Amino acid sequence: MKRINVLGCPMDVASMAQTVAAIRDGIRERCFTQHVVVNVAKLVNMRKDAQLRESVESCDIINIDGMGVVLGARIMGHDVPERVAGVDLFHELLAMSAVESFPVFLLGAKDDVVQTVADKVTHQYPGLTIAGYHHGYFWDDEQAVVEQIKASGARLLFVAITSPRKENFINRWRDQLGVDFVMGVGGTFDVVAGKVTRAPLWMQKYGLEWLYRVIQEPRRMWKRYLVTNSKFAQLLLTEKCKQFFG
């Protein structure tokens, strides 16, 4: 796994298989791993949010999720074979946990959603142990939730809360969670529960998932993606010019 830097953000070049193997080995050895994925929006927001930047840079594994970042890294001269999408990694790690008998804890989304996710993945991955789950609206007493996670005996924790809250929560409590691996998974629980649909595979392949989100929720999403995508393109062009002209 090779670490590179794109627009000031460290990230790891790794395949899905390499990522899963590294996480599995870390859990077996009881070596704590803090994980994060970066996409265009997160990369742009890190430049103006110092706390988010610190939370991301503190991670042991920083996977490249968005195809926009993959293409940007390639434009900057880095050899990035594929992206490691958070939702796909979530499923791969559940399958691995079922085989390895690693209990997992699910944190985030609404109460009915996280309960549905727990039921679905238990049936989807025979042998998987759900050590516990909790909704994502607990900000009045974070410590109580942290203590619940620690007492559950979970080895992996998945946090399905929006950015930057999930990254900052994980970084703030990392030493008290009692798990061997923790990963923010954003809106993954809504996808697994069937509340939200993923973009078709051809749109995922060409980095058009953002467009699919805009089509699904135009009023809420168009401005967000217009701003972040435009800013990313501008930053990339500026950096490439510096690289080209020295």
Side-chain angles (χ1 to χ4, degrees), residues 71-116:
L71 296 174
R74 289 173 180 171
I75 288 171
M76 296 307 300
H78 300 290
D79 183 16
V80 180
E82 63 180 79
R83 72 172 184 151
V84 179
V87 61
D88 296 328
L89 180 58
F90 172 71
H91 282 289
E92 292 288 339
L93 292 177
L94 291 183
M96 179 272 293
S97 296
V99 172
E100 297 281 341
S101 298
F102 295 149
V104 306
F105 196 103
L106 308 174
L107 176 65
K110 293 181 179 179
D111 203 26
D112 62 321
V113 171
V114 68
Q115 183 174 346
T116 299

Side-chain angles (χ1 to χ4, degrees), residues 32-33 105 149 154-157 174 176-182:
F32 178 76
T33 301
F105 196 103
I149 294 166
R155 305 286 297 280
L156 294 87
L157 168 64
R174 55 174 288 166
Q176 299 177 54
L177 293 168
V179 297
D180 299 313
F181 172 81
V182 59

Side-chain angles (χ1 to χ4, degrees), residues 40-60:
V40 166
K42 195 173 297 182
L43 204 59
V44 169
N45 291 332
M46 283 173 61
R47 300 180 73 89
K48 59 183 180 182
D49 187 333
Q51 187 177 9
L52 174 61
R53 170 178 284 276
E54 180 186 352
S55 295
V56 170
E57 291 180 346
S58 297
C59 291
D60 304 288

Side-chain angles (χ1 to χ4, degrees), residues 79-233:
D79 183 16
V80 180
E82 63 180 79
R83 72 172 184 151
V84 179
V87 61
D88 296 328
L89 180 58
F90 172 71
H91 282 289
E92 292 288 339
L93 292 177
L94 291 183
M96 179 272 293
S97 296
V99 172
E100 297 281 341
S101 298
F102 295 149
V104 306
F105 196 103
L106 308 174
L107 176 65
K110 293 181 179 179
D111 203 26
D112 62 321
V113 171
V114 68
Q115 183 174 346
T116 299
V117 173
D119 292 340
K120 281 194 170 186
V121 298
T122 300
H123 286 93
Q124 188 173 356
Y125 302 101
L128 178 67
T129 299
I130 301 297
Y133 58 85
H134 194 284
H135 63 74
Y137 303 89
F138 55 87
W139 304 108
D140 56 334
D141 195 354
E142 293 183 35
Q143 188 165 357
V145 172
V146 170
E147 290 173 357
Q148 181 183 342
I149 294 166
K150 185 174 183 178
S152 73
R155 305 286 297 280
L156 294 87
L157 168 64
F158 298 99
V159 183
I161 299 170
T162 57
S163 183
R165 266 192 158 179
K166 66 178 178 296
E167 291 87 0
N168 295 337
F169 168 80
I170 290 168
N171 198 44
R172 182 162 57 249
W173 294 100
R174 55 174 288 166
D175 296 329
Q176 299 177 54
L177 293 168
V179 297
D180 299 313
F181 172 81
V182 59
M183 170 188 180
V185 293
T188 294
F189 289 2
D190 287 332
V191 174
V192 175
K195 297 284 186 181
V196 176
T197 57
R198 286 188 77 184
L201 285 175
W202 71 269
M203 295 188 83
Q204 295 179 38
K205 180 180 178 181
Y206 290 103
L208 295 174
E209 286 179 287
W210 64 271
L211 179 58
Y212 189 77
R213 293 291 307 280
V214 172
I215 293 171
Q216 284 184 311
E217 301 179 84
R219 290 186 178 181
R220 190 167 77 90
M221 293 294 181
W222 77 268
K223 188 174 182 179
R224 178 193 302 182
Y225 283 111
L226 176 65
V227 171
T228 55
N229 286 2
S230 298
K231 183 65 175 176
F232 179 72

